[in-house]
Amino acid sequence: NAGVTQTPKFRVLKTGQSMTLLCAQDMNHEYMYWYRQDPGMGLRLIHYSVGEGTTAKGEVPDGYNVSRLKKQNFLLGLESAAPSQTSVYFCATRDNPSYEQYFGPGTRLTVT
Amino acid sequence: AQSVTQPDIHITVSEGASLELRCNYSYGATPYLFWYVQSPGQGLQLLLKYFSGDTLVQGIKGFEAEFKRSQSSFNLRKPSVHWSDAAEYFCAVVSLFSGGYNKLIFGAGTRLAVHP
């Protein structure tokens, strides 16, 4: 039982490159979230999903896209990376109606 | 607007000393509150949560927190700190939306250093 896993753990991109971060969960949770963590700012919600085939914008969605084609996977895409997207990205899941969120180990992304 | 404030960015304590990390929230209704811990290079682990009932909640690793509605606070405490407690601690409140996605609003975090 792996819980929430994220791939990759680290990545360095050049400005303008694209990439996809994968979040996978084996807990059968309906809700999934993508956050970014920046120093002194805590975690901020990028996008979220309330179930397979659904996605919606969070607080800081610009420059990101997401897809949830399968219940267990939530993908975060950067179409044209910018240095401002250098951050640590966390995926989290939640089982309705609980409010508790379970976090993955994070992906550290650097855009040069 | 809903918010969480952690007034202390860094705290240093000696091993064996007591610890209190402060958290204040701004929320119109009864809050659902969490404390998470993040060890270096790791994800976030839930320490404890408050939903209702007893205002003193016990968590893992010997931590406890007290909810005080009159002060809009949810401070985290530990009577005797261990070197392995060095980490970053985040307070969070659930923001309830009619859409049901119930996001977490996080404080900026408090980084704890422990001196031997």
Side-chain angles (χ1 to χ4, degrees):
Chain A
N1 190 345
V4 183
T5 59
Q6 293 183 233
T7 310
K9 289 185 169 51
F10 303 95
R11 186 72 184 270
V12 178
L13 288 179
K14 294 187 188 306
T15 297
Q17 287 184 320
S18 63
M19 77 163 295
T20 300
L21 284 67
L22 170 64
C23 175
Q25 54 118 346
D26 61 5
M27 297 181 287
N28 202 36
H29 287 177
E30 288 293 335
Y31 292 76
M32 297 186 75
Y33 306 82
W34 276 108
Y35 293 90
R36 60 177 289 171
Q37 182 184 30
D38 302 294
M41 303 186 75
L43 280 75
R44 293 178 293 168
L45 182 66
I46 304 172
H47 285 282
Y48 66 96
S49 168
V50 301
E52 181 179 316
T54 73
T55 63
K57 295 180 180 179
E59 300 172 72
V60 289
D62 293 342
Y64 305 95
N65 56 74
V66 288
S67 65
R68 184 126 179 247
L69 299 179
K70 295 182 179 180
K71 185 177 183 178
Q72 62 267 34
N73 295 337
F74 195 28
L75 279 65
L76 178 70
L78 287 72
E79 289 188 346
S80 179
S84 60
Q85 294 177 304
T86 293
S87 188
V88 181
Y89 292 86
F90 286 100
C91 175
T93 71
R94 179 173 75 86
D95 190 22
N96 197 35
S98 170
Y99 297 115
E100 182 176 335
Q101 293 189 18
Y102 297 82
F103 285 82
T107 294
R108 183 173 295 276
L109 175 66
T110 301
V111 183
T112 61
Chain B
Q2 299 144 356
S3 64
V4 174
T5 302
Q6 294 179 245
D8 305 304
I9 298 174
H10 290 102
I11 284 183
T12 300
V13 300
S14 298
E15 190 168 18
S18 63
L19 172 70
E20 182 168 30
L21 302 182
R22 295 183 291 164
C23 171
N24 293 97
Y25 65 89
S26 170
Y27 193 72
T30 300
Y32 298 104
L33 295 156
F34 298 87
W35 274 100
Y36 283 88
V37 60
Q38 183 182 28
S39 297
Q42 303 297 312
L44 278 73
Q45 181 183 21
L46 181 67
L47 280 177
L48 48 77
K49 59 190 176 188
Y50 172 79
F51 289 167
S52 64
D54 193 348
T55 56
L56 185 64
V57 294
Q58 302 297 320
I60 63 171
K61 303 185 180 187
F63 285 92
E64 67 178 26
E66 186 170 13
F67 171 64
K68 293 186 177 180
R69 184 187 300 276
S70 62
Q71 298 178 18
S72 297
S73 69
F74 187 55
N75 294 349
L76 182 71
R77 300 195 294 249
K78 187 170 185 179
S80 178
V81 170
H82 188 263
W83 64 266
S84 60
D85 294 324
E88 190 155 20
Y89 293 80
F90 292 94
C91 182
V93 66
V94 174
S95 180
L96 299 176
F97 281 78
S98 58
Y101 70 91
N102 298 337
K103 72 173 183 178
L104 289 177
I105 297 175
F106 285 86
T110 297
R111 187 170 297 277
L112 174 67
V114 180
H115 279 176

Coordinates of all heavy atoms in Angstrom, one line a residue, chain A residues 6-38:
Chain A
Q6 N 4.5 10.3 -6.2 CA 4.7 11.4 -7.2 C 6.0 11.1 -8.0 O 7.0 10.6 -7.5 CB 4.9 12.8 -6.5 CG 3.7 13.3 -5.8 CD 3.9 14.6 -5.2 OE1 3.6 14.9 -4.0 NE2 4.3 15.6 -6.0
T7 N 5.8 11.3 -9.3 CA 6.9 11.1 -10.2 C 7.1 12.3 -11.1 O 6.1 12.9 -11.6 CB 6.6 9.9 -11.1 OG1 6.2 8.8 -10.3 CG2 7.8 9.5 -11.9
P8 N 8.3 12.9 -11.3 CA 9.6 12.5 -10.7 C 9.8 13.1 -9.4 O 8.9 13.9 -8.9 CB 10.6 13.0 -11.7 CG 10.0 14.3 -12.2 CD 8.5 14.0 -12.3
K9 N 10.9 12.8 -8.7 CA 11.2 13.5 -7.4 C 11.9 14.8 -7.6 O 11.7 15.8 -6.9 CB 12.0 12.6 -6.6 CG 11.3 11.4 -6.0 CD 12.2 10.6 -5.1 CE 11.5 9.5 -4.3 NZ 10.6 8.6 -5.2
F10 N 12.7 14.9 -8.7 CA 13.4 16.1 -9.0 C 13.4 16.3 -10.5 O 13.4 15.3 -11.3 CB 14.9 16.0 -8.6 CG 15.1 15.7 -7.1 CD1 15.3 14.4 -6.7 CD2 15.2 16.7 -6.2 CE1 15.5 14.2 -5.3 CE2 15.4 16.5 -4.9 CZ 15.5 15.2 -4.4
R11 N 13.5 17.6 -10.9 CA 13.6 17.8 -12.3 C 14.1 19.2 -12.5 O 13.7 20.2 -11.8 CB 12.2 17.7 -13.0 CG 12.2 17.9 -14.5 CD 12.8 16.7 -15.2 NE 12.9 16.9 -16.6 CZ 11.9 16.5 -17.5 NH1 10.8 16.0 -17.1 NH2 12.1 16.8 -18.8
V12 N 15.0 19.4 -13.5 CA 15.4 20.7 -13.9 C 15.0 20.9 -15.4 O 15.2 20.1 -16.2 CB 17.0 20.8 -13.8 CG1 17.4 22.2 -14.3 CG2 17.4 20.5 -12.4
L13 N 14.3 22.1 -15.6 CA 13.9 22.4 -16.9 C 14.5 23.7 -17.4 O 14.8 24.6 -16.5 CB 12.3 22.6 -16.9 CG 11.4 21.4 -16.8 CD1 10.0 21.9 -16.8 CD2 11.7 20.4 -17.9
K14 N 14.6 23.9 -18.7 CA 14.9 25.2 -19.2 C 13.6 26.0 -19.5 O 12.6 25.4 -19.8 CB 15.7 25.1 -20.5 CG 17.1 24.4 -20.2 CD 17.9 24.5 -21.5 CE 19.2 23.7 -21.4 NZ 20.0 24.1 -20.3
T15 N 13.7 27.3 -19.4 CA 12.6 28.1 -19.7 C 12.0 27.7 -21.1 O 12.7 27.6 -22.1 CB 13.0 29.6 -19.7 OG1 13.4 30.0 -18.4 CG2 11.8 30.5 -20.1
G16 N 10.7 27.6 -21.1 CA 10.0 27.2 -22.3 C 9.7 25.8 -22.6 O 8.9 25.4 -23.4
Q17 N 10.5 24.9 -21.8 CA 10.2 23.5 -21.9 C 8.9 23.1 -21.2 O 8.4 23.8 -20.4 CB 11.4 22.7 -21.3 CG 12.7 22.7 -22.1 CD 13.8 21.9 -21.5 OE1 14.0 21.8 -20.3 NE2 14.5 21.2 -22.4
S18 N 8.5 21.9 -21.6 CA 7.2 21.4 -21.0 C 7.5 20.1 -20.2 O 8.5 19.4 -20.5 CB 6.2 21.1 -22.1 OG 6.6 20.1 -22.9
M19 N 6.6 19.8 -19.3 CA 6.8 18.5 -18.6 C 5.4 18.2 -17.9 O 4.6 19.1 -17.7 CB 7.9 18.6 -17.5 CG 7.6 19.3 -16.3 SD 8.7 18.9 -14.9 CE 8.3 17.2 -14.6
T20 N 5.3 17.0 -17.5 CA 4.1 16.5 -16.7 C 4.6 15.8 -15.5 O 5.5 15.0 -15.5 CB 3.3 15.5 -17.6 OG1 2.9 16.2 -18.8 CG2 2.1 15.0 -16.8
L21 N 3.9 16.2 -14.4 CA 4.1 15.6 -13.1 C 3.0 14.6 -12.8 O 1.8 15.0 -13.1 CB 4.1 16.6 -11.9 CG 5.4 17.5 -11.7 CD1 5.6 18.4 -12.9 CD2 5.3 18.2 -10.4
L22 N 3.3 13.4 -12.4 CA 2.3 12.4 -12.1 C 2.1 12.2 -10.6 O 3.1 12.1 -9.9 CB 2.7 11.1 -12.8 CG 1.9 9.9 -12.4 CD1 0.5 10.0 -12.9 CD2 2.5 8.6 -13.0
C23 N 0.8 12.2 -10.3 CA 0.5 11.8 -8.9 C -0.4 10.5 -9.0 O -1.4 10.5 -9.8 CB -0.3 12.9 -8.2 SG -1.0 12.5 -6.6
A24 N 0.0 9.5 -8.2 CA -0.8 8.3 -8.2 C -1.2 7.9 -6.8 O -0.4 8.1 -5.9 CB 0.0 7.2 -8.9
Q25 N -2.4 7.4 -6.6 CA -2.8 7.0 -5.3 C -3.5 5.7 -5.4 O -4.2 5.3 -6.4 CB -3.8 8.1 -4.7 CG -5.0 8.4 -5.6 CD -6.3 8.1 -5.0 OE1 -6.5 7.4 -4.0 NE2 -7.4 8.6 -5.6
D26 N -3.4 4.9 -4.3 CA -4.0 3.6 -4.3 C -5.0 3.5 -3.1 O -5.3 2.4 -2.7 CB -2.9 2.5 -4.1 CG -2.1 2.6 -2.8 OD1 -2.4 3.5 -2.0 OD2 -1.1 1.8 -2.7
M27 N -5.5 4.6 -2.7 CA -6.5 4.6 -1.6 C -7.9 4.8 -2.0 O -8.8 4.9 -1.2 CB -6.1 5.8 -0.6 CG -4.7 5.6 0.0 SD -4.2 6.9 1.1 CE -3.9 8.2 0.0
N28 N -8.1 4.9 -3.3 CA -9.5 5.0 -3.9 C -10.2 6.3 -3.5 O -11.4 6.3 -3.3 CB -10.3 3.8 -3.6 CG -11.5 3.6 -4.5 OD1 -11.3 3.9 -5.7 ND2 -12.6 3.2 -4.1
H29 N -9.4 7.4 -3.2 CA -10.0 8.6 -2.8 C -10.5 9.4 -4.0 O -10.0 9.4 -5.1 CB -8.9 9.5 -2.1 CG -8.5 9.0 -0.7 ND1 -7.6 9.6 0.0 CD2 -9.0 8.0 0.0 CE1 -7.5 9.0 1.2 NE2 -8.4 8.0 1.2
E30 N -11.7 10.1 -3.7 CA -12.3 10.8 -4.8 C -11.6 12.1 -5.1 O -11.4 12.5 -6.3 CB -13.7 11.2 -4.4 CG -14.7 10.0 -4.4 CD -14.9 9.4 -5.8 OE1 -14.8 10.2 -6.8 OE2 -15.2 8.2 -5.9
Y31 N -11.1 12.8 -4.1 CA -10.6 14.2 -4.3 C -9.1 14.1 -4.4 O -8.4 13.4 -3.6 CB -11.0 15.1 -3.1 CG -12.4 15.4 -2.9 CD1 -13.3 14.4 -2.5 CD2 -12.9 16.6 -3.3 CE1 -14.7 14.7 -2.4 CE2 -14.2 16.9 -3.2 CZ -15.1 16.0 -2.7 OH -16.4 16.3 -2.6
M32 N -8.6 14.9 -5.3 CA -7.1 15.0 -5.5 C -6.8 16.5 -5.7 O -7.6 17.2 -6.3 CB -6.6 14.2 -6.6 CG -6.8 12.7 -6.4 SD -6.0 11.6 -7.6 CE -4.3 11.7 -7.1
Y33 N -5.6 16.9 -5.2 CA -5.2 18.3 -5.2 C -3.7 18.4 -5.6 O -2.9 17.5 -5.3 CB -5.3 18.9 -3.8 CG -6.6 18.7 -3.1 CD1 -7.0 17.6 -2.5 CD2 -7.5 19.8 -3.1 CE1 -8.2 17.4 -1.8 CE2 -8.8 19.7 -2.5 CZ -9.1 18.5 -1.8 OH -10.3 18.3 -1.2
W34 N -3.4 19.5 -6.3 CA -2.0 19.9 -6.5 C -1.8 21.2 -5.8 O -2.5 22.2 -6.0 CB -1.7 20.1 -8.0 CG -1.4 18.8 -8.7 CD1 -2.2 18.1 -9.6 CD2 -0.2 18.0 -8.6 NE1 -1.5 17.0 -10.1 CE2 -0.3 16.9 -9.5 CE3 1.0 18.2 -7.9 CZ2 0.7 16.0 -9.6 CZ3 2.0 17.3 -8.1 CH2 1.8 16.2 -8.9
Y35 N -0.7 21.2 -5.0 CA -0.2 22.4 -4.3 C 1.2 22.7 -4.8 O 2.0 21.8 -5.2 CB -0.2 22.2 -2.8 CG -1.5 22.0 -2.1 CD1 -2.0 20.7 -2.0 CD2 -2.2 23.1 -1.6 CE1 -3.2 20.5 -1.3 CE2 -3.4 22.9 -0.9 CZ -3.9 21.6 -0.8 OH -5.1 21.4 -0.1
R36 N 1.6 24.0 -4.6 CA 3.0 24.4 -4.7 C 3.4 25.0 -3.4 O 2.6 25.7 -2.7 CB 3.2 25.3 -5.9 CG 2.5 26.6 -5.9 CD 2.9 27.5 -7.1 NE 4.3 28.0 -6.9 CZ 5.0 28.6 -7.9 NH1 4.4 28.9 -9.1 NH2 6.2 29.1 -7.6
Q37 N 4.7 24.7 -3.1 CA 5.2 25.2 -1.8 C 6.4 26.1 -2.1 O 7.4 25.7 -2.7 CB 5.7 24.1 -0.9 CG 6.2 24.6 0.4 CD 6.7 23.4 1.3 OE1 7.3 22.4 0.8 NE2 6.6 23.6 2.6
D38 N 6.3 27.3 -1.6 CA 7.3 28.3 -1.8 C 7.7 28.9 -0.4 O 6.9 29.0 0.4 CB 6.9 29.5 -2.7 CG 6.5 28.9 -4.1 OD1 7.3 28.4 -4.8 OD2 5.3 29.0 -4.4

